[in-house]
Amino acid sequence: MTRVAVLKGGRSLERQISLKSGARVQDALERLGHDVIGIDVGHDLVARLRAAAPEVAFVALHGRDGEDGTVQELLEAVGVPYTGSGVSACIRCADKVLAKHHMLDAGIPTPDFFAFNETAFKELGAADALPAIEQRLGFPIVVKPSNQGSALGIRIAREAKDVPGALVAAFSYGDKVLLERHVDGRDLAVSVLDRAGGPDRDPLVLPVVEAIPHEDDRYEARYEIGRTEFVCPAALPGELTQRAQDLALDVWRTLGCAGFARIDLMLDAAAGELYVLEANAIPGLTDTSLLPQAADAAGIGFDELIERVVQLALP
Ligand SMILES: Nc1ncnc2c1ncn2[C@@H]1O[C@H](COP(=O)(O)OP(=O)(O)O)[C@@H](O)[C@H]1O
Ligand SMILES: [Mg+2]
């Protein structure tokens, strides 16, 4: 039996998803016979951690603070081991632009993009560069905040007149925004799970999941039950499956992930090419989340998944 603090909620825009992930993780840990303390992360986080004195923290937070290295840094400071990636990998994953630069440096394909801070528009006339950017990327262009998840703030600009509004929407979520080439194709996700036995053992790359939206409102639909269909393993030719899994492992290594992670990709339908969109340091763990589905398809039930992730975090 291990004393586990489950960190959930928090103040990010993904609070509701995190509460669901956290509740499900808590249930699993209780079934597994652990001593479980749930902590809704807020001002008193450090005090509550000290009072609870857990042997390990299960970080079931998504988005700002919980997934970007902030909470991880606090856990380092108070000396509590925690699940998932360390501070530096969380920082790299949480910032899509930073992650994409690391991928490019490592030769991992990611859609072409340009990224700017708001100051570039306010003080450096970046708007004057939009026609050149639009010409380089071609329409439609995906506009998204660098630091959000759950499809928040993502817009598709179909023509030049859509771009300014999409930028304003994206900047309302964060200071850095990217304009990215739209990949017309299929939405894939590959989750990676560490194995016990030390850093020399290759992590386990789980079966590919495909998200198939039922309607055209794909960004909003993604997290609503019944509006997106998930297929796992995705119906892909063997070599594409292999390539998607190899890319996911490359991304995992390049960004320095640990414990678990989910890598989101697009398959360009016409060219048959794969592009990595992003890596999620703390993938959703709700009933409809992709990593648990992929683990299940690999014969790893939810409780076993959670037990493994906790054991990996223990010193
Ligand atoms: N460049 C792109 N081309 C096509 N679809 C995209 C692109 N970027 C994002 N999307 C769509 O938006 C979804 C969310 O984008 P993603 O970059 O994974 O951000 P997040 O999941 O953090 O919100 C993707 O799963 C995909 O459906
Ligand atoms: Mg994503």
Side-chain angles (χ1 to χ4, degrees), residues 14 96 100 111-112 141-154 156 180-188 211 213 218-219 222-223 262 264-266 277-280:
E14 289 161 275
K96 289 187 172 70
K100 283 169 71 80
D112 286 343
I141 292 172
V142 181
V143 181
K144 56 181 150 182
S146 187
N147 66 347
Q148 279 300 334
S150 303
L152 292 163
I154 300 188
I156 288 202
E180 191 176 59
R181 188 176 78 76
H182 180 260
V183 180
D184 192 6
R186 295 161 70 180
D187 236 297
L188 307 176
R218 42 195 298 156
Y219 304 122
R222 209 173 150 84
Y223 295 92
R262 193 191 79 230
D264 292 343
L265 309 95
M266 292 293 305
L277 292 179
E278 61 150 357
N280 300 280

Side-chain angles (χ1 to χ4, degrees), residues 36 73 95 114 136 167 182 211 222 270 312:
V36 188
E73 194 84 283
D95 182 339
F114 292 89
R136 286 273 291 278
L167 285 170
H182 180 260
R222 209 173 150 84
L312 286 165

